[in-house]
Amino acid sequence: QRTRLRVGGVPTVYDAPLQFALSQGKYAGLDVNLNWVKCPRDTGAVVSMLTAGLLDLAFLFAEDAVAYSASGALRICGTFVETPREWGLHVPSAVQSQTSADLDSYAIGLPDDIGASLMLQILAERPGWGQLARVQTKRYNSVRRAE
């Protein structure tokens, strides 16, 4: 009898090769019954699925995995993408911001993953960006909700 392995994660472009290989039967020769589990676009929900036993393995962005492993919710087993995810703070071109004080009247949109919050905190530690920790934020889990 083949071992069942339920794999999932927050949907990203990094999943495409895995899902393509699965759809082409590339894992058929393994002694594993590999099932891709469709997960919500929320890292917290994926971690909850993992800790509740609904997933055996989850693919997450490193920033999110580090934050959740620090809380003891999961353990990082390895990585398969070596290039870092680039983070940036982006504003409309008409905004002439140079420091966090220039953003006091704006809300910062953050995706529903813990890594974005972590990166915002790291930026707030840089010289001239201390007030960023007090700028209003709005959570979203899709581009449509961010509008």
Side-chain angles (χ1 to χ4, degrees), residues 89 91 95-108 128-138:
L89 182 61
V91 297
V95 176
Q96 299 299 315
S97 65
Q98 297 297 317
T99 69
S100 61
D102 300 332
L103 301 175
D104 281 345
S105 61
Y106 297 93
I108 296 177
W129 289 94
Q131 282 184 255
L132 195 60
R134 295 182 295 279
V135 172
Q136 178 187 1
T137 59
K138 289 185 179 180

Side-chain angles (χ1 to χ4, degrees), residues 14 48 62 73 76 92 103 106 113-114 129 137:
Y14 298 119
S48 292
I76 299 172
L103 301 175
Y106 297 93
D113 64 18
I114 198 166
W129 289 94
T137 59

Side-chain angles (χ1 to χ4, degrees), residues 4 12 22 24 38 42 47 67 72 78 88 93-94 101-102 104 109 115 117 126 133 137 142-143:
R4 177 185 69 178
T12 70
L22 187 60
Q24 298 296 308
K38 189 172 181 176
D42 176 357
V47 171
S93 59
D102 300 332
D104 281 345
S117 297
R126 295 179 72 184
T137 59
S142 71
V143 173

Side-chain angles (χ1 to χ4, degrees), residues 1-8 21-22 25-37 55-57 59:
Q1 183 177 5
R2 293 167 42 148
T3 302
R4 177 185 69 178
L5 183 62
R6 296 165 299 176
V7 180
L22 187 60
K26 301 294 183 187
Y27 298 111
L30 298 177
D31 197 23
V32 173
N33 181 13
L34 182 62
N35 298 318
W36 183 264
V37 179
L55 292 174
D56 301 308
L57 178 74
F59 289 99

